């Protein structure tokens, strides 16, 4: 934009972290962005970017993160790393396969439609989950705007029943899945995931942070050999994410859309990892879905998960005001959006159907009440989940 300050050299941007997420609550904390713009000839693109963040949410989650994006460290390539620890006392768990899993919004409130759930049902769709994530990826140019990329990821995930005062004795969906063996014994407490990634990237965007034109396509093959836990959860998957930015009016109004598809090709994925979106380069803190601000906005976070998922994001980015303050460039924008997504390959759906048909757990040892059976499987076919809204 005209009249922008052209940045050079090292720039430090300490900021308070203040936000709101309907899934997580009010967020507060602090972060610092560290940029190196070199001689400024490529501004607003940067040579190096690093970020440190420590924040917490009133919903019971906290975040410690350090990541870096180094564009000139490797000739004709870049290096990316992310090291993050998430602590979630209340992590959303809505079951498998979208509409196949019953969802009752009353269970998020203090209403009690089913006596079996106790006096307060607000923890029904909660579980505990802590995650440590260490990811690094490299990219090198093949020719023009086409690049090869490779990466490594390690995840340590700990899951279990909610342990918050006042909620310890409530029955939750996690409990029902454990009792019926929809969550297996060897995965119930989480585990370790090691990922090896290889892919192709095609990128013609004018810049990374807020592009106004161009495309960015990532096609990634991901292998996860189960060499740490040896619990039988080795798998192979494929992820495609393509974004297109179309200028509508100068650099003031841009139409942007993103199409994503993720599929398991072989093996088995543990329940605690089917919501992970396996991209090479993270653009947001949370890389999970479907649902939440990282994938299909307006849908419950992790509300649509399975062996295969597809999603589409569309939005207009209207930059209303550009201004300079405290030696920084700012702009205020409106972002009306329309999103959709669906589970395109089911996860343990036959097991859900068996429980519905027999009224018993998968091993046949535990009989379920009709109310419990109704909380396992709806009998509905999966269709598109759609949402619309706007951001500022």
């Amino acid at each position: 934009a005209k009249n922008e300050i052209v940045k050079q050299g090292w720039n430090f941007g300490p900021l308070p972290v203040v936000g709101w997420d309907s899934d997580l609550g009010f967020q507060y904390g602090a972060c610092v962005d560290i940029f190196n713009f070199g001689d400024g000839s490529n501004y607003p693109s940067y040579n190096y970017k690093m970020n440190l963040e420590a924040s917490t949410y009133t919903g019971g989650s906290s975040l410690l993160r350090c990541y870096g994006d180094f564009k000139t460290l490797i000739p004709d390539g870049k290096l990316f790393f992310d090291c993050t620890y998430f602590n979630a006392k209340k992590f959303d768990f809505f079951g498998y396969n979208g509409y196949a899993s019953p969802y009752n919004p009353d269970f998020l409130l203090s209403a009690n439609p089913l006596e079996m759930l106790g006096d307060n049902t607000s923890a029904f769709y909660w579980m505990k989950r802590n995650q440590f994530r260490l990811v690094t990826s490299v990219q090198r140019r093949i020719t023009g705007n086409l690049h090869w990329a490779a990466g490594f990821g390690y995840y340590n995930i700990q899951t279990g029943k909610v342990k918050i005062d006042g909620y310890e004795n409530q029955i939750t969906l996690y409990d029902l899945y454990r009792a019926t063996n929809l969550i297996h014994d060897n995965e119930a407490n989480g585990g370790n995931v090691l990922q090896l990634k290889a892919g192709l990237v095609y990128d013609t965007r004018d810049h990374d942070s807020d592009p106004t034109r161009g495309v960015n396509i990532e096609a990634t093959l991901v292998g996860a050999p189960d060499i740490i836990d040896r619990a039988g959860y080795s798998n192979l998957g494929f992820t495609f994410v393509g974004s297109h930015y179309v200028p509508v009016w100068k650099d003031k109004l841009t139409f942007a859309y993103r199409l994503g598809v993720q599929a398991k090709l072989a093996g088995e994925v543990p329940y605690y990892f089917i919501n992970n979106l396996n991209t090479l380069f993270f653009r947001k803190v949370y890389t999970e879905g479907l649902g939440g601000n990282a994938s299909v906005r307006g849908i419950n976070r992790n509300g649509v998960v399975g062996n295969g998922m597809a999603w589409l994001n569309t939005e207009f980015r209207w930059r209303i005001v550009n201004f300079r303050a405290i030696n920084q460039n700012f702009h205020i924008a409106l972002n009306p959006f329309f999103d959709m997504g669906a589970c395109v390959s089911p996860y343990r759906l036959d097991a859900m159907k068996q429980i519905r048909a027999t009224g018993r757990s998968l091993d046949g040892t535990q009989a379920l009440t009709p109310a419990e059976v109704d909380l396992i499987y709806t009998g509905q076919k999966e269709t598109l989940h759609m949402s619309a809204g706007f951001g500022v």
Side-chain angles (χ1 to χ4, degrees):
K2 294 181 179 179
N3 302 320
E4 276 196 357
I5 302 169
V6 176
K7 297 286 187 173
Q8 297 180 343
W10 290 99
N11 286 256
F12 298 84
L15 289 169
V17 174
V18 179
W20 167 259
D21 187 300
S22 60
D23 296 306
L24 303 173
F26 179 72
Q27 182 187 20
Y28 58 95
C31 73
V32 58
D33 280 321
I34 304 170
F35 289 92
N36 182 289
F37 293 101
D39 61 8
S41 59
N42 293 321
Y43 181 85
S45 186
Y46 49 82
N47 291 351
Y48 312 133
K49 176 185 178 181
M50 290 170 282
N51 174 275
L52 301 172
E53 178 179 339
S55 62
T56 190
Y57 291 86
T58 53
S61 298
S62 58
L63 167 70
L64 293 172
R65 189 188 191 202
C66 172
Y67 81 88
D69 187 10
F70 305 96
K71 292 187 174 183
T72 59
L73 199 61
I74 300 174
D76 290 326
K78 70 175 182 177
L79 170 68
F80 171 87
F81 80 86
D82 176 285
C83 183
T84 304
Y85 177 70
F86 304 94
N87 181 323
K89 296 180 180 178
K90 298 187 295 185
F91 187 75
D92 300 311
F93 179 68
F94 294 98
Y96 310 146
N97 306 315
Y99 286 121
S101 290
Y103 171 68
N104 189 332
D106 288 339
F107 292 176
L108 302 177
L109 308 173
S110 59
N112 180 27
L114 297 175
E115 291 183 359
M116 57 163 282
L117 295 175
D119 294 332
N120 185 328
T121 61
S122 60
F124 184 72
Y125 294 113
W126 292 347
M127 59 183 291
K128 180 193 75 173
R129 194 201 72 166
N130 298 334
Q131 181 192 91
F132 171 78
R133 178 180 77 193
L134 177 62
V135 174
T136 184
S137 302
V138 295
Q139 176 178 302
R140 290 291 302 274
R141 177 177 287 110
I142 299 174
T143 180
N145 297 307
L146 181 64
H147 312 259
W148 65 261
F152 162 89
Y154 168 72
Y155 299 77
N156 175 266
I157 300 172
Q158 301 172 8
T159 64
K161 182 177 174 63
V162 169
K163 293 183 179 179
I164 301 175
D165 291 344
Y167 298 106
E168 306 95 324
N169 298 321
Q170 286 192 19
I171 293 176
T172 67
L173 187 60
Y174 172 83
D175 295 324
L176 291 178
Y177 272 48
R178 285 287 293 117
T180 57
N181 293 319
L182 282 171
I183 293 176
H184 301 160
D185 291 342
N186 64 356
E187 61 183 348
N189 297 320
N192 297 280
V193 177
L194 177 68
Q195 288 190 325
L196 303 174
K197 308 177 186 180
L200 294 173
V201 178
Y202 182 76
D203 189 358
T204 66
R205 295 173 297 169
D206 50 354
H207 48 83
D208 286 354
S209 58
D210 190 11
T212 60
R213 55 181 46 81
V215 300
N216 183 66
I217 298 171
E218 290 184 15
T220 310
L221 194 66
V222 182
D226 187 10
I227 60 178
I228 301 176
D229 295 340
R230 300 183 182 274
Y233 293 110
S234 294
N235 57 82
L236 179 69
F238 176 76
T239 302
F240 171 92
V241 180
S243 302
H244 188 194
Y245 305 89
V246 182
V248 178
W249 178 49
K250 300 180 180 180
D251 63 350
K252 298 291 185 181
L253 182 63
T254 303
F255 175 68
Y257 63 92
R258 176 178 65 171
L259 174 65
V261 179
Q262 179 163 297
K264 185 200 74 172
L265 303 179
E268 185 174 2
V269 182
Y271 95 96
Y272 54 81
F273 209 66
I274 57 171
N275 64 329
N276 195 72
L277 301 179
N278 300 313
T279 56
L280 281 159
F281 303 100
F282 299 164
R283 292 174 179 82
K284 294 188 176 183
V285 174
Y286 289 94
T287 58
E288 300 171 332
L290 295 180
N293 64 12
S295 54
V296 183
R297 296 161 290 189
I299 304 299
N300 287 325
R301 186 173 63 137
N302 302 317
V304 182
V305 297
N307 275 324
M309 298 175 285
W311 65 99
L312 174 67
N313 308 114
T314 64
E315 70 178 28
F316 283 96
R317 299 178 176 181
W318 179 24
R319 300 162 186 83
I320 301 173
V321 177
N322 294 289
F323 62 94
R324 295 161 52 174
I326 58 174
N327 199 38
Q328 301 289 340
N329 301 308
F330 291 89
H331 72 253
I332 298 175
L334 286 178
N335 296 61
F337 68 83
F338 175 76
D339 290 354
M340 64 177 70
C343 172
V344 294
S345 178
Y347 183 79
R348 298 180 182 173
L349 181 61
D350 288 342
M352 297 170 69
K353 292 179 178 180
Q354 177 182 328
I355 294 169
R356 180 80 182 183
T358 63
R360 305 186 72 86
S361 59
L362 291 174
D363 60 8
T365 61
Q366 182 171 333
L368 306 179
T369 67
E372 290 173 323
V373 171
D374 287 341
L375 293 169
I376 295 295
Y377 178 53
T378 62
Q380 296 183 31
K381 292 184 178 180
E382 175 71 334
T383 58
L384 283 174
H385 303 253
M386 296 180 285
S387 64
F390 73 92
V392 178

